[in-house]
Amino acid sequence: MNLSTLARHTLSRGATPAATYALLTRLGHQPLPVARAVCLALDIPHAETTRRLADCHDALLADPRPNSENDTGELLEALGVFDIPKPLTPTELTVVDLFLIAIDAIGGIRPGHQHGLQRWFTTGNLTAAYLSLTATHPLPRTGDPTTYWTTLTTAGELLTTTPNPDPRLKYALTHCRTQATKRRSPQAG
């Protein structure tokens, strides 16, 4: 049985991707082929699998510590290596483009926040990304608040046109509109 088939079987029995990775490496298989097999079993395209594993190979997979299989699997999962990409509709792609404009207008973003946003883009969880961005504020010296809030307003308007939008979107959109209006008023400073 090849590794991808074994990984697919383990996943079908309810194991998480991290647990599947740990089990297969504990059985004596090398970390990189196991990580690749888990990705392929999750139907992550081969080119995307290769890119993701190249990003973390040296730090996590090249020289594994003894008895670190569980930790490595959990870390690979936390890094998004096992995230299943969701094909986005044209509207969702437009929303992601708007998010990228807003991220530039922040004037600097923490790496952890950037990583979380990227994972939500990959998995198609645009509501979580939107709510996270609406809770963030542009930096006073390097950010562009007008662009930030108007771009998020446009993104929110698109998100609320989807079938059964999350009710939290309405409140976040109202917040963005309020912030954008403040930026346009002559008293804003």
Side-chain angles (χ1 to χ4, degrees), residues 146 149-150 153 176-177 179-188:
T146 301
W149 294 112
T150 56
T153 297
C176 291
R177 285 182 177 142
Q179 293 298 317
T181 302
K182 284 181 185 179
R183 305 297 166 207
R184 282 187 240 137
S185 71
Q187 295 82 17

Side-chain angles (χ1 to χ4, degrees), residues 106-123:
I106 290 174
I109 187 168
R110 293 180 333 272
H113 191 191
Q114 178 71 39
H115 175 72
L117 290 167
Q118 187 58 51
R119 289 189 70 191
W120 287 324
F121 298 165
T122 299
T123 60

Side-chain angles (χ1 to χ4, degrees), residues 103-110 136-139 142-143:
I103 289 167
D104 284 344
I106 290 174
I109 187 168
R110 293 180 333 272
T136 302
H137 293 275
L139 297 174
T142 57

Side-chain angles (χ1 to χ4, degrees), residues 20-110:
T20 299
Y21 170 86
L23 172 67
L24 297 180
T25 53
R26 275 196 304 276
L27 291 174
H29 299 286
Q30 291 299 307
L32 181 59
V34 169
R36 179 175 288 113
V38 173
C39 287
L40 295 175
L42 291 167
D43 294 325
I44 298 169
H46 185 67
E48 179 65 13
T49 294
T50 300
R51 184 194 64 75
R52 291 179 189 188
L53 294 176
D55 288 347
C56 66
H57 177 266
D58 292 342
L60 292 174
L61 303 172
D63 189 25
R65 293 175 299 131
N67 301 315
S68 65
E69 298 88 358
N70 287 336
D71 293 339
T72 301
E74 288 174 10
L75 192 52
L76 289 168
E77 198 165 86
L79 290 172
V81 171
F82 301 137
D83 285 352
I84 301 169
K86 177 190 177 271
L88 300 178
T89 67
T91 300
E92 291 170 329
L93 289 170
T94 300
V95 169
V96 170
D97 287 341
L98 290 166
F99 287 165
L100 295 173
I101 293 167
I103 289 167
D104 284 344
I106 290 174
I109 187 168
R110 293 180 333 272

